Amino acid sequence: MQSEMSVSLWRGGEDGAYVTYKVPERANQTVLDVVTWIQRNVDSTLSYRFACRVGMCGSCAMVVNGRPRWTCRTHVSKVAKNGALQIGPLQNMPIIKDLATDMKPFFEKWQSAKGVFEPSKTRHDPIEEIRPDTPERVAADAAVECINCGVCYSACDTVRWNGDYMGPAALNRAWSLVNDVRDSGQAERLQAVASGGGCHSCHSHQTCQQFCPQSLNPTAAIAGLKRRTVQAYLKGDLKK
């Protein structure tokens, strides 16, 4: 007989609860495989997100046994505890239904951190050459691979304690733009990330770096923003 594992899934909204299912154990199965099996074979009303299934989009992020992860790249054999799994929605975000969260607050903070490129030239200007070995380009490269999966935001204790905190992903994005010499929105961006809920609210716990599936270090980016905003303040470029 095929062996089974016990899987507890969050069902419902904010006032929901974990429901336990028996799922067949299979070789090399991922956590996303487990969730999909339940949706296809037990309860078709189960809500969750996924897209690429190959660790590129980040949309399948969930909390697995207490840790936020990309479920498509997480093998059951590496995370199951005594043959059991607990799978819940990302934390620090409102729950829409089951394993699907509302990421609107996450992206609103991304906007609050001025995470949108502000061009300094038009399409009619010559393309500016950016050397890959300049300090600014190196700093931007260290932060640019974020795909906004929300894992760092879910893991961040400061977000949990301070609802106004912009979060690691938004500030990491701001840091990549601060180091983009083509961007014209630096004054407004530094003012934004220096405000309440900005980079100076970070406690440097580095859970964002620990859990980032892309192996980025948002804490280092936030530290860079702290230095840059202090420098701007001392120069009189920032308002109190």
Side-chain angles (χ1 to χ4, degrees):
M1 294 180 63
Q2 188 174 31
S3 59
E4 294 181 327
M5 72 179 80
S6 176
V7 180
S8 295
L9 290 185
W10 184 265
R11 302 304 308 270
E14 297 288 348
D15 58 348
Y18 282 97
V19 177
T20 301
Y21 302 89
K22 294 296 182 180
V23 179
E25 290 189 26
R26 293 173 178 170
N28 299 317
Q29 70 189 142
T30 66
V31 174
L32 182 58
D33 291 334
V34 168
V35 175
T36 301
W37 188 92
I38 294 172
Q39 196 268 345
R40 291 180 178 178
N41 294 278
V42 181
D43 189 347
S44 62
T45 68
L46 174 62
S47 297
Y48 64 107
R49 291 193 182 101
F50 73 95
C52 72
R53 299 180 69 92
V54 291
M56 296 293 292
C57 70
S59 61
C60 68
M62 304 171 200
V63 176
V64 182
N65 285 354
R67 173 172 176 162
R69 301 172 180 270
W70 289 356
T71 54
C72 71
R73 291 202 321 195
T74 302
H75 285 84
V76 172
S77 60
K78 295 182 178 180
V79 297
K81 297 180 179 179
N82 299 320
L85 284 175
Q86 184 185 77
I87 307 171
L90 291 178
Q91 299 176 344
N92 297 331
M93 302 180 196
I95 300 173
I96 297 175
K97 180 178 179 288
D98 302 335
L99 303 173
T101 57
D102 183 358
M103 297 189 73
K104 181 179 178 181
F106 173 82
F107 287 111
E108 285 179 340
K109 291 179 179 180
W110 198 83
Q111 295 285 343
S112 298
K114 305 296 181 182
V116 178
F117 177 74
E118 299 290 346
S120 57
K121 297 183 179 180
T122 71
R123 68 181 64 185
H124 305 294
D125 295 316
I127 298 176
E128 186 172 1
E129 180 181 353
I130 305 296
R131 291 183 56 85
D133 57 351
T134 62
E136 293 82 7
R137 186 66 246 175
V138 171
D141 281 345
V144 77
E145 294 297 330
C146 174
I147 61 173
N148 291 313
C149 66
V151 164
C152 64
Y153 191 87
S154 175
C156 181
D157 289 329
T158 305
V159 173
R160 200 180 327 276
W161 302 330
N162 181 359
D164 294 329
Y165 180 49
M166 293 176 179
L171 294 171
N172 182 79
R173 170 63 177 171
W175 176 244
S176 69
L177 290 174
V178 162
N179 288 285
D180 193 330
V181 297
R182 304 166 300 167
D183 189 277
S184 65
Q186 301 303 345
E188 295 83 0
R189 185 170 296 111
L190 289 176
Q191 187 70 53
V193 299
S195 64
C199 61
H200 297 283
S201 296
C202 174
H203 292 189
S204 301
H205 289 171
Q206 285 205 305
T207 50
C208 53
Q209 184 273 334
Q210 180 183 357
F211 295 148
C212 177
Q214 297 286 74
S215 299
L216 303 183
N217 190 349
T219 307
I222 295 168
L225 288 176
K226 290 177 180 179
R227 293 191 298 270
R228 194 67 63 86
T229 53
V230 169
Q231 292 168 358
Y233 176 76
L234 293 176
K235 291 178 182 179
D237 295 335
L238 285 186
K239 300 176 183 178
K240 293 183 178 181

